[in-house]
């Protein structure tokens, strides 16, 4: 049999044969989403129980706490709260004890334990998790955009891109796009195919947002032959023909030159190196300082983009 919540005369009236409806107040100095999820996850374990969950968010003053406790007292409810401020938690404890309203502090004990473990004071700033969650959703949206606009897909969305990469096959458009998306940019990439026009939508994209990628023909030939071997395709396939490669690269340079798009040579450069050049060209970052004499060199994780 379910036990009625302790408290004054605000406890719900129970009619014979009718299961009572219990009240749970979720109190938070932010949105209350975290506490509500925890409460509902716990309620799943109590089949048949009738519970109404009420969210009281943005509690920022002691007066807000008092009103929340008063409301819980009137309906004989339980308060579950995630208040990050020690002052607000203390006010909740004091008011709830005075009105005999049961409370559960989801965050306070954890903050105290972490404070001891980390030897740091918590910021006690409401809404930080919400901000972090919003940033996570934004990064997911950016990555999703980049995947949906890979290799010429979704040309109708090019105007929404922060950056568009163009280049012939095997100039590292996809890995570079993903790396820049991880940096927070919505990136689209469009292949340049010899003799074929680029998407008409690309003509409406700002010149400052488009970067052309090029590569030395010898390296491109090597990469394409390797690719054909992986695909078990005859090496004389036009894709890896020397004359075809020269024609493609010249066609790409001509397109970029006429459009006014800067070119970045990716030959034997890491993704990080090419990304740094691109970000400087589009004005997102400043040029890096030249390394001091004797300290140049590649990091242990160095790898070529054109692989």
């Amino acid at each position: 049999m379910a036990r009625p919540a302790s408290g004054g005369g605000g406890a719900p009236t129970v009619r014979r044969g009718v299961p009572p409806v219990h009240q749970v107040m979720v109190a938070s100095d932010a949105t209350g989403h975290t506490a509500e999820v925890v409460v509902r996850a716990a309620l799943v374990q109590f089949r048949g129980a009738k519970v109404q969950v009420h969210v009281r968010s943005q509690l920022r003053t002691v007066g807000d706490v008092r009103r929340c406790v008063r409301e819980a007292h009137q309906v004989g409810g339980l308060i579950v709260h995630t208040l990050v401020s020690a002052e607000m938690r203390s006010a909740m404890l004091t008011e709830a004890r005075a009105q005999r309203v049961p409370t559960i502090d989801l965050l306070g004990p954890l903050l105290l334990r972490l404070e001891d473990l980390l030897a740091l004071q918590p910021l006690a700033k409401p809404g930080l998790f919400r901000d972090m969650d919003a940033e996570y959703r934004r990064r997911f949206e950016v990555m999703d955009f980049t995947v949906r606009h890979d290799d010429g897909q979704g040309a109708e969305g090019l105007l929404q891109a922060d950056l568009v990469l163009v280049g012939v096959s095997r100039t590292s458009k996809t890995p570079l796009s993903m790396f820049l998306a991880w940096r927070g940019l919505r990136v689209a990439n469009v292949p340049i195919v010899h003799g074929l026009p680029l998407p008409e939508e690309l003509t409406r994209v700002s010149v400052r947002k488009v970067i052309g990628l090029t590569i030395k023909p010898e390296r491109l030939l090597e990469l394409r032959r390797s690719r054909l071997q992986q695909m078990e395709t005859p090496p004389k396939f036009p894709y890896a023909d020397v004359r075809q490669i020269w024609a493609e690269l010249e066609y790409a340079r001509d397109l970029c030159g006429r459009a006014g798009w800067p070119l970045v040579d990716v030959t034997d450069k890491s993704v990080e190196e090419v990304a740094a050049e691109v970000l400087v060209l589009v004005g997102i970052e400043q040029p890096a300082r030249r390394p001091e004499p004797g300290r140049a060199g590649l990091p242990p994780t160095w790898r070529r983009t054109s692989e």
Side-chain angles (χ1 to χ4, degrees), residues 222-238:
E222 178 185 341
L223 291 169
R224 289 191 174 182
R225 284 180 173 172
S226 175
R227 177 62 173 163
L228 291 179
Q229 286 180 352
Q230 294 173 5
M231 298 172 62
E232 297 183 354
T233 304
K236 291 186 179 181
F237 196 71

Side-chain angles (χ1 to χ4, degrees), residues 160-287:
Q160 282 72 55
D162 298 313
L163 178 65
V164 181
L165 304 173
V166 298
V168 302
S169 175
R170 310 308 290 173
T171 48
S172 305
K173 297 184 298 296
T174 296
L176 184 58
S177 295
M178 296 305 164
F179 181 85
L180 291 168
W182 179 77
R183 292 285 304 270
L185 297 175
R186 293 188 299 272
V187 185
N189 71 77
V190 179
I192 295 178
V193 180
H194 185 234
L196 295 182
L198 291 169
E200 188 273 335
E201 292 85 354
L202 193 53
T203 63
R204 300 198 296 272
V205 178
S206 170
V207 173
R208 293 176 297 178
K209 291 185 176 182
V210 184
I211 297 291
L213 303 178
T214 190
I215 188 172
K216 287 184 170 54
E218 299 83 3
R219 178 59 180 155
L220 184 56
L221 176 63
E222 178 185 341
L223 291 169
R224 289 191 174 182
R225 284 180 173 172
S226 175
R227 177 62 173 163
L228 291 179
Q229 286 180 352
Q230 294 173 5
M231 298 172 62
E232 297 183 354
T233 304
K236 291 186 179 181
F237 196 71
Y239 178 73
D241 181 81
V242 177
R243 288 170 297 182
Q244 175 71 16
I245 286 175
W246 275 95
E248 285 186 44
L249 291 173
E250 285 298 324
Y251 180 67
R253 289 192 191 96
D254 182 61
L255 279 179
C256 292
R258 284 190 282 113
W261 302 327
L263 277 171
V264 175
D265 192 333
V266 305
T267 308
D268 293 336
K269 292 178 183 174
S270 69
V271 171
E272 293 83 356
E273 287 175 305
V274 178
E277 288 188 45
V278 168
L279 292 174
V280 169
L281 285 172
V282 296
I284 294 176
E285 289 188 356
Q286 296 297 317

Side-chain angles (χ1 to χ4, degrees), residues 83-138:
L83 301 171
V84 298
S85 164
E87 178 187 2
M88 294 285 281
R89 293 199 303 273
S90 177
M92 175 66 77
L93 181 61
T94 301
E95 292 296 321
R97 281 178 174 173
Q99 299 199 41
R100 300 180 64 191
V101 173
T103 65
I104 297 175
D105 182 356
L106 290 181
L107 207 52
L110 178 59
L111 288 173
L112 290 173
R113 290 287 182 262
L114 289 175
E115 183 179 343
D116 291 340
L117 175 67
L118 304 175
L120 292 172
Q121 286 288 327
L123 295 175
K125 182 180 178 182
L128 291 181
F129 184 77
R130 178 192 60 209
D131 295 343
M132 184 180 69
D133 190 46
E135 174 63 15
Y136 172 79
R137 289 196 302 271
R138 189 190 71 81

Side-chain angles (χ1 to χ4, degrees), residues 7-12 73-74 76:
H73 172 72
Q74 290 171 352

Side-chain angles (χ1 to χ4, degrees), residues 270-272 298-304:
S270 69
V271 171
E272 293 83 356
L298 297 171
T301 56
W302 179 86
R303 54 191 170 84
R304 294 181 293 197

